[in-house]
Amino acid sequence: MDTTEPTVSEPPVRVFLLDDHEVVRRGVRDLLEADQDIEVVGEAGTCAQALARVPALRPDVAVLDVRLPDGDGVTVCRELRDRMPDLACLMLTSFDDDDALLDAIMAGAAGYVLKQVKGADLVSAVRTVASGQSMLDPETTRKLMESLRHHEEDTADSALAQLTPRERDILVLVGEGRTNRQIGRELFLAEKTVKNHVSRLLAKLGVERRLQAAVIAAHAESAHHPR
């Protein structure tokens, strides 16, 4: 009598695709689904579609294009991870862009690959982030953050003096990578109110992106609490 227990196969990695080009989505879908252990459970061509569909489909990995007609994949990453902390987001872009990489890091992305990537490497990247590992090289991340920090330091102190106490509170939370929704919960404010505060503080700091504000916040924190 054979007492060997049958092997239990792992469920396939569930993937969602966001790209505004149908031909790209079709190509990536075909590539991923050629692997029996990966299943594409849904796709979208806009940020709005992705934000509506992903929470219902509960994928393990979201492959997100960085540049989209109604926004950007980094914002989608931030919003989805706010709702689904276990979701692994893999950013996919045609451009080797340090700013986009930094934004992706701040949004909690697990990886960042160029569309020129070889098919086998993209499959490997999906598997890597699905297993809970990061595709972001720590040394590259450190150098990029250091470069941006030096760029912002010179104007940080005078810019911070313009902020109201409420804006300073929000800046600290932006520096921690919080989304507007999370900041609202923390400070008991409506998400729209937080968005307005963030827009004003960015203008006062003379920057356009949350990441730049986060670097200024980090500089201010180190200045107040030197080692």
Side-chain angles (χ1 to χ4, degrees), residues 45-96:
T46 66
C47 297
Q49 289 173 350
L51 291 172
R53 295 173 185 174
V54 172
L57 293 169
R58 310 299 297 181
D60 304 302
V61 177
V63 179
L64 308 173
D65 190 11
V66 170
R67 288 174 172 81
L68 293 152
D70 63 334
D72 62 87
V74 172
T75 300
V76 173
C77 172
R78 184 181 295 112
E79 291 292 327
L80 289 176
R81 283 184 50 78
D82 184 25
R83 303 183 208 175
M84 305 166 61
D86 293 334
L87 176 67
C89 292
L90 184 63
M91 312 309 298
L92 187 64
T93 181
S94 304
F95 307 95
D96 190 3

